[in-house]
Amino acid sequence: MRTEVDVVVVVGDGVVLLDVAGPVQVLHGTGYRVRLASPRGRSVVTDTGIPLGVELAVEDVPETVDTVLVPGYPTVSGHGHPPELIAHVRRIGAGARRTASACTGAYLLAEAGLLDGRRATTHWAECETLARLFPRVRVEPDSIYVRDGPVITSAGVTAGIDLALALVEEDHGPEVARTTAKNLVVFLQRPGGQSQFSVRSAVTPPRSPGLRRVLDAVVADPGGNHTLAAMAERLAVSERHVTRLFRREVGGTPGQYVERVRLEAAQAMLESCDAGVHTIARACGFGTDETMRRVFLRVLNAPPAVYRERFRASASSARASRPDRPRREEN
């Protein structure tokens, strides 16, 4: 177990505030000396317009620093950083015990060559671009955070909190990490990956008004009849044409889309109500709890019961304040 760990957070103008504040809040008071560093030691303005004071110039950061953390920037400026900043991150990152990034901070690590030949992740909406711009990086789109040797990258925004908790666990043990997570009312380790977020919002709006109505109908009633034949009838086209429309405008098959929506609906029910797994499976269109269980394991790497246990912490606290409410047995 380590004592005080020296952490330098490299920031510049436009840095995402939560990418800085989330990890820093986790590390604060848990045995870390956290300092912000910027080019020439100037204060910076975050993406929200809120200024951040800085303790030292990135030029003065020694190569012996323990941990370097690189937050992200909005996607419009998330890559293509100043050569001087890239050079300094390369220098201190190469000498540090470990280097980490939050969200699109992975672009800066990639530009510095620190991700060459390594596995990495970033915000789900940026994974494809990161892989295209930096073919030597093995991008893992579904990971919340990825560690490859001394380099750790995390997914979008709040995943920086997950990453920081992992650092706390590594440096100070699981009990300290668990206590920190509990005090912040966050999960020490959430199951699944980025694929659990945003189904309908992740789909580019189809050009076809009819297809848009079909997609919205699935979201409005996940447990309804959404077979290929039913979709074809609603659109007044052939089943083959429905499949072509989905592949062209949604990027997958009708069945894949329906399954993703049903999975999201089941997640929401597991988090928010006390209905049994069998009841939720039927309500969300899975038919049987075993079918739903297989989907959860394949996509989220956690069965429904485990998912509910991990994601109901805040809901359990709310129930504790209402002792008169009976709790149903879970299947």
Side-chain angles (χ1 to χ4, degrees), residues 298-323:
R298 172 164 49 82
V299 180
L300 302 178
N301 197 32
V306 172
Y307 181 91
R308 165 174 268 166
E309 180 183 353
R310 294 182 181 177
F311 276 81
R312 287 296 297 277
S314 57
S316 296
S317 298
R319 282 197 300 273
S321 66
R322 298 189 301 247

Side-chain angles (χ1 to χ4, degrees), residues 19-171:
D19 281 2
V20 179
V24 169
Q25 189 67 56
V26 171
L27 300 177
H28 174 69
T30 51
Y32 293 88
R33 178 194 184 199
V34 182
R35 295 177 293 166
L36 271 58
S38 71
R40 290 171 291 284
R42 297 182 302 183
S43 296
V44 301
V45 178
T46 67
D47 64 321
T48 64
I50 295 176
L52 290 177
V54 172
E55 292 186 59
L56 73 165
V58 70
E59 294 86 349
D60 297 332
V61 176
E63 297 177 8
T64 55
V65 65
D66 184 273
T67 302
V68 177
L69 176 61
V70 178
Y73 295 78
T75 54
V76 292
S77 59
H79 42 84
H81 294 85
E84 181 184 12
L85 182 59
I86 295 172
H88 285 300
V89 169
R90 180 185 300 117
R91 175 183 62 83
I92 60 178
R97 179 173 70 90
R98 64 189 175 195
T99 302
S101 68
C103 197
T104 55
Y107 279 116
L108 183 47
L109 296 190
E111 289 167 325
L114 298 175
L115 296 183
D116 286 354
R118 298 188 185 278
R119 297 178 296 110
T121 193
T122 186
H123 190 286
W124 62 266
E126 292 294 305
C127 285
E128 183 178 348
T129 303
L130 180 66
R132 175 171 52 81
L133 293 178
F134 302 96
R136 297 186 65 183
V137 180
R138 302 196 299 276
V139 179
E140 297 187 357
D142 193 42
S143 297
I144 296 297
Y145 63 87
V146 173
R147 178 159 196 162
D148 191 328
V151 182
I152 314 164
T153 52
S154 70
V157 196
T158 59
I161 295 174
D162 298 74
L163 180 147
L165 285 168
L167 300 184
V168 172
E169 184 172 7
E170 176 184 326
D171 295 333

